[in-house]
Amino acid sequence: MDARDIILKPVITEKSMNLMNERKYTFIVDKNANKIQIKQAVEELFGVDVEKVYTMNYMGKLKRVGRNVGRTNSYKKAIVKLKPNSKGIEFFEGLQA
């Protein structure tokens, strides 16, 4: 897989913004990607040094409309911690409050 296929989009929430102070950045990633692939993709796309990758799998929530039952999409979230000597990810720099 290409690096752009692994990293789908960044997560911009209040909690993820607070994690940026600890040099941790949050992304939605491909469900089949492992930690090694995520680390290589972030290093390739943003030119940073990754120390550790934390991953979480989220199941889609059950939703009902009348008698019809369905699910929202399942997804995988990754929190990437950068090494202390690494530069920050420029995409997130203007978003910090």
Side-chain angles (χ1 to χ4, degrees), residues 14-31:
E14 186 175 351
K15 187 173 183 179
S16 69
M17 292 295 118
N18 291 336
L19 284 174
M20 286 174 42
N21 297 331
E22 302 171 25
R23 303 186 58 76
K24 294 180 180 178
Y25 298 90
T26 310
F27 300 96
I28 301 293
V29 297
D30 185 77
K31 284 195 278 188

Side-chain angles (χ1 to χ4, degrees), residues 3-17 19-20 24-30 38 42 45-46 75-80 89-96:
R4 287 174 184 25
D5 296 330
I6 294 172
I7 306 293
L8 301 179
K9 63 182 179 179
V11 175
I12 310 295
T13 62
E14 186 175 351
K15 187 173 183 179
S16 69
M17 292 295 118
L19 284 174
M20 286 174 42
K24 294 180 180 178
Y25 298 90
T26 310
F27 300 96
I28 301 293
V29 297
D30 185 77
I38 295 168
V42 171
L45 287 176
F46 301 107
Y75 62 95
K76 187 173 195 174
K77 183 168 82 171
I79 299 176
V80 177
I89 295 178
E90 294 174 11
F91 177 82
F92 289 97
E93 294 303 320
L95 300 174
Q96 281 185 326

